[in-house]
Amino acid sequence: MGSTFECLKRAWYVAAMSSEVEGEALFHRRILGTSVMIYRLADGTPVAMHDRCPHRFAPLHLGQREGDEIACRYHALRFDADGRCTHNPHGNGRIPDAARVRRFPLLERYGFLWIWMDDSDPDPALLPDFSPLEEGHPNAVAQTYMHMDVNYELIIDNVMDLSHIDHVHGEIITTRGQLSPVVPKVRERDTHISARWEWSQTPAMMIFAPFLPRPEDAARHYFDISWTAPANIQLSVGAGQDSDDFGDATSQYDLHTCTPEDAFKTHYFFATRRNHIVDDADYNRKKIEAMHAAFETEDGPIITAVQEEMGEAEFFSLDPVLMSNDVAPVKVRRRLRRMIVEEQAAKAAAADAA
C-alpha cells in the first residue's frame, strides 16, 4: 500500500448505522478519503452526497435544511436531494451548469446505511446477505461503531485470526488455552474466504455458560468466520452440550465490517444477534458495552501499536513470519489485493478504449 491509499471501489461500504442518521440532522463522515454528508428526506429515505459546495467548497453539513433541500451556509446556494442547484441568491440568479453536487447511492439494510463510492452504476448484488441480523426479536440485535487510527486491513487480520483470544482477552471469552493449538479449517470460494475452529472446554465460555443446561460442565464450541469483499467478516460462535452437530447450540451471529476513512484511519462497525434471552434489551446494552471494553482496551491498543511500528510500509514488504494461524488472514489479504489490481486494470482499459 505504501503512502498511496488503494482500496476496492466497486463495492458497498457501511457509511453509518441507520440510527446515526435520524430526524432533520445533517450527518457527515469521511469515507475513502472523501467527505460525505448523509441525511433523510421527509419520507425517511436516506440521501448521501459529497459534503462540499462546488462554489467555495464549504462543507454542506454546516448549512441548513429547507425542506428536503440543503442551503450552503457560506453563500446560500441551495441544492436538492439529487445534487442539483435550485437557487442562487446572487446577481441575476442564474445557476451555473457546474453547480452540482455528486450524489452517492445508498442501500439501507441490516441496521446500516451502505454506500457505493465508485463512479459506476451500483450493483446491489455485490452486497452480501446478512439477513439473520433482521430476523427474530428486535431486542436480540444491536449495533455499534468505533473509530481506529489504523489501516482497515489490520482489523480484518485481527478478526480473521481468532487464535489471539486467550492471549489478549479476559475471562469472559477465554477458551482456557484450547483454541490456539487448533488449526482452523479454511475454505475458499468465489466470493468468500472462511475459517472454522471446533474445540471443547470446561466450563464453557462465560458468554454462553449461564445459558447452557449444565453451566459447570464441558461444552463443545465453534467459531465460523467468513470474509466477503471488501471488508466484511461474518462471525458465528456457539456452544452446545447435547448435540454433535451443534443443533442445540447457544450462539450468536456477528458482523464486523470496516470502512476506510483514509489510508490509516478506519470506521469499524459491529452488529450482533443472539438466540438466547432474546427479549432482554438490557442484555443488549451490556453486550455492546463489553464489545467496546474488549476492543478499546485489549485488541485496539495492540493493533494501534502494530500500525505505529509498521508506519506506511506494506504488510508483506516487512517479511512477516507466517504460521498456521495466518492462513485465513493471508488468503484474504492476497485475494483483496488481486481484486484491487484487477479493478484498476479494468478501469484503465475502459479509459483507453474511450
Side-chain angles (χ1 to χ4, degrees), residues 9-52:
K9 296 293 181 64
R10 294 195 74 255
W12 295 97
Y13 291 89
V14 172
M17 297 185 297
S18 292
S19 59
E20 289 184 284
V21 184
E22 294 184 326
E24 296 287 304
L26 301 178
F27 180 85
H28 67 102
R29 178 164 280 156
R30 192 167 182 83
I31 298 172
L32 308 192
T34 298
S35 296
V36 176
M37 178 184 68
I38 307 174
Y39 70 103
R40 292 188 185 274
L41 305 182
D43 65 4
T45 302
V47 170
M49 61 178 65
H50 195 180
D51 191 15
R52 178 192 291 175

Side-chain angles (χ1 to χ4, degrees), residues 76-213:
L77 270 68
R78 195 160 68 235
F79 301 89
D80 66 17
D82 289 321
R84 295 185 298 254
C85 183
T86 61
H87 177 67
N88 172 15
H90 303 278
N92 63 7
R94 187 184 71 83
I95 297 175
D97 293 339
R100 297 184 64 89
V101 179
R102 181 183 176 188
R103 178 169 173 172
F104 300 100
L106 287 177
L107 288 177
E108 186 162 19
R109 293 182 187 170
Y110 318 128
F112 297 108
L113 295 171
W114 302 77
I115 193 166
W116 183 271
M117 297 292 291
D118 195 59
D119 291 329
S120 61
D121 291 335
D123 185 353
L126 291 180
L127 179 61
D129 181 5
F130 303 120
S131 55
L133 291 172
E134 297 184 324
E135 299 168 358
H137 198 288
N139 285 352
V141 66
Q143 297 89 15
T144 194
Y145 163 82
M146 289 173 281
H147 185 270
M148 291 198 67
D149 290 335
V150 301
N151 178 267
Y152 73 109
E153 291 187 78
L154 291 181
I155 300 176
I156 297 175
D157 290 343
N158 183 68
V159 185
M160 287 301 296
D161 171 22
L162 298 176
S163 67
H164 69 274
I165 282 179
D166 288 338
H167 316 292
V168 174
H169 296 295
E171 181 69 12
I172 191 69
I173 58 172
T174 180
T175 73
R176 309 192 187 282
Q178 300 304 304
L179 187 64
S180 289
V182 177
V183 177
K185 180 180 179 181
V186 177
R187 313 179 300 279
E188 289 191 77
R189 309 169 197 165
D190 290 342
T191 58
H192 296 68
I193 294 176
S194 304
R196 184 178 179 91
W197 291 256
E198 293 187 14
W199 75 98
S200 295
Q201 67 179 73
T202 307
M205 275 186 166
M206 294 306 296
I207 57 172
F208 296 132
F211 311 108
L212 294 175

Side-chain angles (χ1 to χ4, degrees), residues 272-314:
T272 182
R273 176 176 285 283
R274 65 188 179 280
N275 70 351
H276 47 287
I277 55 170
V278 296
D279 59 347
D280 191 338
D282 189 55
Y283 191 74
N284 259 4
R285 178 186 58 78
K286 292 177 181 177
K287 279 179 64 68
I288 293 300
E289 288 177 354
M291 166 65 179
H292 273 269
F295 202 83
E296 292 174 354
T297 65
E298 296 170 352
D299 305 78
I302 294 177
I303 297 172
T304 301
V306 168
Q307 182 67 79
E308 291 172 353
E309 185 61 30
M310 288 178 61
E312 295 188 357
E314 193 272 334

